[in-house]
Amino acid sequence: MTTRFDAIIIGTGQAGPSLAARLSGAGMKVAIIERKFFGGTCVNTGCIPTKALVASAYAAHLARRAADYGVAIDGTVKVDMPRVKARKDEISGRSSRSVEQWLRGLANCTVYQGHARFESPDSIRVNDEVLSAERIFINVGGRALVPSMPGLDQIDFLTNSTMMDVDFLPQHLIVIGGSYIGLEFGQMYRRFGSAVTIIEKGQRLIAREDEDVSQGVLEILQNEDIGVELRAECIKVAKRGDQIAVQLDCASGMREVVGSHLLLAIGRIPNTDDLGLDQAGVAVDPRGYITVDDQLRTNVPGIWALGDCNGRGAFTHTSYNDHEIVADNLLNGDNRSVRDRIVAYGLFIDPPLGRIGMTDDEIRRSGRPALIGKRLMTRVGRAVEKGETQGFMKITVDAQTKEILGAAILGTGGDEAVHCLLDTMYAKAPYTVVQRAVHIHPTVSELLPTVLGELTPLDG
């Protein structure tokens, strides 16, 4: 027995539920399938719970600095880890329940819980039922990459998902991976009270960023006594009594870090290996990401892939935008494309990094004549007043067209302030629009016109 729908959506991450609402609202009969937790990575193991933890860590950090602001706290600042976890769980759980209730309340939408697998290009089996539709949308997200690392099978380790179950304070947390996830957890747990060491195989942290951004982030972490080991060319792990030893130099064996717990944060892989994609003929790349065109269509007519599983974006906001592109193209006859999207993301350490557009290195490689403006956060009044002066802001523009090419704001409020530049880029307006604007004082954003008024050539 096969149940027929107009559309089937696999997964309830950021793209799936909103797409279900759009399609069912247009009168389509929709089925949406969720294997485990409603809301996907962001709601359950990503953005929402981790930022709730970051907020608790920030509160602890600020409490320890209370004297800097003339505030006296009697006694030692202590972190109640079970309470921290309970707060995170409540915030995350509320979001997950909200997604589920929303979907179950949609007219024309049927919710299925179970593991979806393709049986053909237009049919899906979930539990003991077979569903079919002429339109199928894959929104299955990704998970932590667990590498083939010598000794890893002999120890217990954590990932970003299993970190959500931690309700205690690790004595010494070792983080393998010096990129976005690893840095956020590293600073977070240092502020909770753990000793922390971050291990990175490369020459510097967050290697996709410009060197000054990587160096700025390194200094922020080191200022909080977080250990950072770079150039770990050969990594092995081993049990050392009740501790975990991580060897960084396989040749000499002299470099090692010993700690109580190990977090793997070295990358993500898509959840595409158990969907039966071969039964539908859906193509994937060598890393398992579903191959899509600029409108998110797979090689099989009638099948789309949205969100982290398509390799065209690794963020909640890009996944949500995927649904907008697909829905507008289907329902409104638009011609939207992922090529219209400008790179934009944040690193949510404290202070945060807001990054948009091209890096300086990318601009240099493009050969475009460019201008750059840069300002330390020590020269931003709002940062000084808040006592949070680490970092800097920089903006690059095209010397000929005057369009903004990219920006990085590493500093308090940087994740918010960067958006006025991003919107200007989408408008394809010259940077002089921002330069001549009158911003509110005292804010971080008020210095953006100043930075744009002090441009100099970007050196080669």
Side-chain angles (χ1 to χ4, degrees):
M1 187 70 179
T2 299
T3 305
R4 186 76 183 173
F5 291 89
D6 297 313
I8 298 171
I9 301 169
I10 307 173
T12 62
Q14 284 302 298
S18 297
L19 182 61
R22 289 284 299 273
L23 299 182
S24 62
M28 292 187 188
K29 183 182 177 183
V30 177
I32 188 164
I33 305 166
E34 176 50 56
R35 177 174 59 176
K36 196 170 184 182
F37 298 123
F38 286 85
T41 297
C42 176
V43 167
N44 296 285
T45 60
C47 320
I48 290 177
T50 58
K51 278 39 177 189
L53 293 172
V54 165
S56 292
Y58 177 74
H61 179 68
L62 202 59
R64 294 188 185 100
R65 294 187 59 207
D68 294 346
Y69 300 90
V71 177
I73 295 179
D74 294 331
T76 303
V77 175
K78 297 180 180 180
V79 176
D80 183 344
M81 290 303 294
R83 179 71 192 99
V84 167
K85 179 180 181 297
R87 176 181 181 272
K88 177 266 296 179
D89 289 345
E90 194 280 327
I91 293 171
S92 176
R94 185 169 64 239
S95 294
S96 182
R97 291 190 297 273
S98 177
V99 172
E100 181 177 3
Q101 290 166 5
W102 176 37
L103 287 171
R104 293 190 184 279
L106 288 177
N108 304 320
C109 182
T110 303
V111 176
Y112 290 86
Q113 287 190 266
H115 193 128
R117 290 184 176 88
F118 279 90
E119 292 205 334
S120 72
D122 66 350
S123 64
I124 301 288
R125 178 175 290 277
V126 54
N127 302 324
D128 296 326
E129 298 185 62
V130 176
L131 319 178
S132 67
E134 63 181 30
R135 305 176 188 89
I136 298 178
F137 306 91
I138 306 170
N139 178 224
V140 294
R143 63 186 185 275
L145 170 64
V146 178
S148 297
M149 183 180 294
L152 195 60
D153 59 342
Q154 302 298 313
I155 67 167
D156 294 325
F157 60 87
L158 297 158
T159 67
N160 71 292
S161 294
T162 55
M163 286 294 288
M164 296 300 101
D165 299 325
V166 173
D167 63 355
F168 57 89
L169 187 66
Q171 180 187 19
H172 184 169
L173 179 65
I174 302 172
V175 181
I176 298 181
S179 196
Y180 307 91
I181 294 173
L183 300 187
E184 290 179 17
F185 274 111
Q187 186 189 53
M188 178 198 309
Y189 272 84
R190 180 70 189 110
R191 290 181 169 190
F192 287 151
S194 299
V196 173
T197 302
I198 297 172
I199 297 171
E200 168 56 40
K201 187 175 183 179
Q203 302 294 308
R204 54 189 176 92
L205 299 175
I206 44 175
R208 70 182 290 177
E209 307 296 339
D210 288 318
E211 288 192 28
D212 56 354
V213 173
S214 293
Q215 182 61 31
V217 169
L218 175 64
E219 291 171 2
I220 288 168
L221 299 177
Q222 290 178 331
N223 285 342
E224 296 188 31
D225 294 324
I226 296 172
V228 178
E229 294 285 345
L230 302 174
R231 304 174 186 86
E233 292 297 332
C234 182
I235 301 175
K236 294 181 179 180
V237 297
K239 199 77 173 161
R240 182 78 58 79
D242 59 354
Q243 301 283 88
I244 297 171
V246 182
Q247 189 173 317
L248 311 182
D249 183 351
C250 297
S252 67
M254 298 299 292
R255 289 179 67 200
E256 72 170 16
V257 177
V258 179
S260 60
H261 295 80
L262 175 66
L263 168 63
L264 295 180
I266 62 173
R268 306 277 292 171
I269 57 173
N271 292 323
T272 58
D273 52 332
D274 55 0
L275 289 176
L277 293 177
D278 55 329
Q279 298 298 312
V282 174
V284 298
D285 71 13
R287 298 181 299 163
Y289 290 98
I290 297 173
T291 304
V292 295
D293 65 12
D294 291 340
Q295 295 187 325
L296 305 172
R297 297 170 296 200
T298 71
N299 63 303
V300 178
I303 302 179
W304 290 256
L306 302 85
D308 293 3
C309 68
N310 65 24
R312 301 297 295 267
F315 307 104
T316 293
H317 50 278
T318 54
S319 180
Y320 186 85
N321 181 243
D322 282 358
H323 113 267
E324 295 177 314
I325 291 170
V326 169
D328 284 347
N329 290 346
L330 280 175
L331 301 178
N332 302 332
D334 283 352
N335 190 33
R336 297 185 65 173
S337 164
V338 293
R339 287 188 178 274
D340 300 330
R341 199 152 62 198
I342 297 171
V343 171
Y345 55 86
L347 166 64
F348 296 98
I349 60 167
D350 173 44
L353 167 69
R355 261 275 296 119
I356 59 172
M358 303 171 72
T359 64
D360 295 350
D361 286 343
E362 288 171 337
I363 294 169
R364 291 185 184 102
R365 289 195 297 269
S366 75
R368 302 173 70 165
L371 304 173
I372 186 170
K374 190 170 181 179
R375 192 177 189 87
L376 297 176
M377 297 302 288
T378 52
R379 299 176 60 208
V380 176
R382 183 62 181 273
V384 174
E385 293 148 10
K386 293 179 68 177
E388 299 177 353
T389 57
Q390 296 185 101
F392 60 89
M393 59 175 69
K394 66 174 180 177
I395 311 170
T396 49
V397 306
D398 189 300
Q400 296 176 341
T401 67
K402 296 187 177 181
E403 289 188 9
I404 297 172
L405 297 177
I409 304 181
L410 175 62
T412 182
D415 52 335
E416 294 286 352
V418 78
H419 284 92
C420 69
L421 300 173
L422 180 62
D423 292 342
T424 305
M425 293 173 71
Y426 273 110
K428 298 187 183 301
Y431 74 84
T432 51
V433 171
V434 179
Q435 181 194 356
R436 297 175 182 178
V438 180
H439 289 188
I440 297 170
H441 173 79
T443 63
V444 174
S445 298
E446 73 169 317
L447 272 300
L448 297 178
T450 303
V451 173
L452 288 169
E454 300 173 345
L455 299 173
T456 59
L458 177 66
D459 60 33

